Amino acid sequence: MPKPQLLETFPNPYADRKYEIYMETDEFTSLCPLGGVETDAAELKLLEGGAPDFATIKITYTPAEKCLELKSLKLYFWSFRNDGIFYERAVNHILDDLVAACNPHHMTVVGDFNVRGGLKSIITASFTRA
């Protein structure tokens, strides 16, 4: 299961200014869910197989009071490694967890997944504070 409790933040040193932070990793991995079963459904058992999925995750955000700490973000991404999860759910899960951790003005998460079965998938999810 993804572990949002791993995410850490620090006070934004320029909270009075709107600026953009961009982060990217090409080391995101998760497992392809087998038979349409996702491991984050509470009533289902954890999958123990599945082909690996690889992606580049790109995060762009405008921080408010808090910024995301990079090492904790890396550890959070690693927590997806043994989970069977669809691309769409993974990207939206990441967005939800990061927004909950740092409550930014705006955030966009892009999951650029490697080709599987001849198809390329790029998933984009965004949040804007009301």
Side-chain angles (χ1 to χ4, degrees):
M1 270 310 178
K3 297 179 180 173
Q5 66 271 23
L6 293 171
L7 292 167
E8 296 180 15
T9 61
F10 61 91
N12 180 358
Y14 295 98
D16 59 334
R17 176 184 303 157
K18 285 194 176 181
Y19 65 99
E20 191 172 272
I21 297 174
Y22 175 80
M23 299 175 288
E24 179 177 327
T25 182
D26 61 358
E27 297 181 352
F28 181 84
T29 59
S30 61
L31 296 178
C32 177
L34 301 175
V37 177
E38 296 184 69
T39 59
D40 60 349
E43 69 277 6
L44 300 172
K45 291 182 181 177
L46 188 65
L47 291 177
E48 293 184 11
D53 285 322
F54 301 93
T56 297
I57 303 293
K58 302 171 187 179
I59 300 162
T60 305
Y61 74 106
T62 303
E65 299 300 317
K66 297 186 269 183
C67 296
L68 294 167
E69 194 277 322
L70 294 178
K71 182 179 178 184
S72 74
L73 184 61
K74 174 185 74 172
L75 296 174
Y76 168 73
F77 284 147
W78 285 1
S79 73
F80 281 83
R81 285 198 172 161
N82 295 319
D83 274 346
I85 189 167
F86 289 111
Y87 300 159
E88 297 82 359
R89 188 178 295 261
V91 171
N92 280 281
H93 202 304
I94 291 167
L95 177 66
D96 291 345
D97 288 345
L98 298 184
V99 166
C102 72
N103 194 23
H105 292 290
H106 176 80
M107 181 177 282
T108 298
V109 176
V110 177
D112 185 347
F113 290 84
N114 290 6
V115 174
R116 177 178 287 277
L119 295 171
K120 173 88 173 149
S121 294
I122 300 174
I123 313 300
T124 302
S126 294
F127 163 85
T128 300
R129 191 193 297 186

